[in-house]
Amino acid sequence: MTSPALIACSHGTRSAQGRATVAAIRARLAEALPGVRVEEAYVDVEQPEVADVVARLAADGPAVLVPLLLATGFHTKVDIARAAAPFENVVVAEPMGPHDLLIEALLGRLADLPEGDSGRRPGDHVVLAAAGSSDPAAAVATRRMRALLEDELPVPVSVGYGAGASPSIPEAVAAARAAGADRVIAASYVLAPGHFAGLVAAAGADQVTAPLGTHPAVIDVLLERYVRAAARPAAGRGAGQLSSAATA
């Protein structure tokens, strides 16, 4: 039996570096899933649009639509779900987060900073810098990630958002300083370089981690999402069903 195709659906970006990062993620997925067709799709900015890709692949057989998105929100609940809805043989995987493995990726990016003790020195404060969404479920997911990250660090961790929710990333950085932090580190909770990564970099933190990118834990999360969705019983693979329980 042929494995379902994997439609890797990302937001889309005008950043050449961001596009290269997402392409590298798709390449890693293809390497890890020999024999599985891996196709790109986007909800905004870039082509091909997700609805067009889903329609084309659904004509050839089953497919799993995997959001390369860190939390639920408009793009998962509307754009992605709507694209899959007409096709009984297309199942939508959960978004990437929250997930314990993403904490591994965040910790790895913190360790990559010039001073390897970033986020561990007394007086540090880490701001989990997320893209943000007006969907309350996205904020719930991000707060869950904040709690998981704080469990792994000996310093306070707060949240800032690039858009759609408050506090903003600059506000979170300023609040950390006002609370007495000696060093504020913005932990980029974004997948790739682009608009939101730029907002994180410009927020005024003392140090800023790189986007999660192709960290091995990111690839593992996406593989898990694909495998779980592909294994759903036929009755649970209804047209475009999207689980709201985006948990590990």
Side-chain angles (χ1 to χ4, degrees):
M1 179 178 176
T2 303
S3 297
L6 190 162
I7 303 171
C9 183
S10 58
H11 182 276
T13 178
R14 293 180 178 85
S15 164
Q17 189 177 3
R19 292 183 179 193
T21 298
V22 173
I25 290 171
R26 289 196 306 271
R28 300 282 179 88
L29 292 173
E31 289 171 6
L33 295 167
V36 173
R37 182 178 178 181
V38 177
E39 295 272 348
E40 65 182 315
Y42 305 94
V43 294
D44 199 3
V45 182
E46 292 186 66
Q47 299 289 328
E49 293 183 3
V50 61
D52 294 338
V53 176
V54 170
R56 175 166 52 84
L57 265 67
D60 294 337
V64 175
L65 208 173
V66 179
L68 272 61
L69 301 167
L70 290 168
T72 190
F74 180 86
H75 291 308
T76 56
K77 291 182 175 180
V78 178
D79 294 326
I80 288 175
R82 184 179 291 163
F87 306 102
E88 292 287 347
N89 62 342
V90 176
V91 60
V92 180
E94 295 172 0
M96 297 173 65
H99 200 296
D100 291 347
L101 283 171
L102 294 177
I103 298 300
E104 182 180 325
L106 286 164
L107 293 173
R109 294 302 183 225
L110 284 167
D112 289 340
L113 289 171
E115 297 180 52
D117 63 346
S118 295
R120 298 185 179 277
R121 182 191 302 174
D124 281 356
H125 185 114
V126 174
V127 173
L128 182 64
S133 169
S134 58
D135 188 330
V140 170
T142 303
R143 289 196 296 269
R144 173 61 179 156
M145 288 297 296
R146 184 213 67 79
L148 290 171
L149 183 59
E150 191 169 57
D151 285 345
E152 299 296 326
L153 294 173
V155 302
V157 179
S158 59
V159 173
Y161 300 96
S166 61
S168 68
I169 302 167
E171 288 170 343
V173 170
R177 288 212 176 94
D182 296 326
R183 183 172 63 167
V184 181
I185 299 104
S188 298
Y189 190 49
V190 297
L191 186 61
H195 173 71
F196 287 108
L199 293 180
V200 179
D206 298 297
Q207 292 184 315
V208 179
T209 66
L212 301 181
T214 56
H215 190 283
V218 168
I219 307 305
D220 287 344
V221 168
L222 292 169
L223 290 171
E224 180 185 301
R225 295 308 194 207
Y226 168 80
V227 169
R228 284 192 177 188
R232 271 184 223 157
R237 295 167 60 96
Q241 285 195 356
L242 176 65
S243 171
S244 61
T247 55

